Amino acid sequence: KKAFTETRRLAPQHVDTLNELAICNLELKEYSEAEQQLKEALHMEPENTKIISNLGILELRRGNKEQAEGFFRTVLDIDPEDPVAKRYLEEAGQ
């Protein structure tokens, strides 16, 4: 997390850095921070399926199954073959 935070300070508009920092925060159960970073990244790249999938994973971890499913369906609308969204949608019960 420390390295990605520093990288973000040096290159604040880098979507992949925001995504990786959000993943760190997901693993640390710092969900509010992860959400903020993912939403900022999504604002920069609205059709980035990695970001949308990670929002789905965030909602699953928060226990919000319906919201999570919505994110995974959105990913599949953009890329019907996305393996991550397919897997998580199956795990979510759909």
Side-chain angles (χ1 to χ4, degrees):
K1 178 178 175 177
K2 194 179 224 182
F4 287 118
T5 300
E6 179 63 14
T7 301
R8 182 166 184 230
R9 186 183 70 75
L10 297 170
Q13 298 302 315
H14 199 267
V15 171
D16 288 334
T17 301
L18 277 169
N19 184 53
E20 293 299 327
L21 184 54
I23 291 169
C24 290
N25 284 317
L26 276 171
E27 295 305 316
L28 294 168
K29 296 183 169 110
E30 296 172 351
Y31 298 142
S32 294
E33 287 184 51
E35 179 181 26
Q36 179 183 0
Q37 291 148 354
L38 290 169
K39 286 185 175 183
E40 185 177 340
L42 188 64
H43 181 74
M44 288 186 258
E45 291 186 17
E47 293 193 7
N48 185 318
T49 55
K50 290 186 298 186
I51 303 299
I52 300 167
S53 284
N54 284 334
L55 282 163
I57 293 166
L58 170 65
E59 291 306 327
L60 275 180
R61 292 198 180 171
R62 286 178 161 169
N64 300 324
K65 184 178 165 185
E66 288 181 24
Q67 290 91 335
E69 290 172 359
F71 284 117
F72 297 129
R73 285 192 186 100
T74 298
V75 170
L76 293 175
D77 286 344
I78 296 167
D79 179 4
E81 299 303 315
D82 186 282
V84 174
K86 283 182 176 182
R87 187 182 100 220
Y88 276 101
L89 201 54
E90 287 173 10
E91 285 180 20
Q94 296 294 320

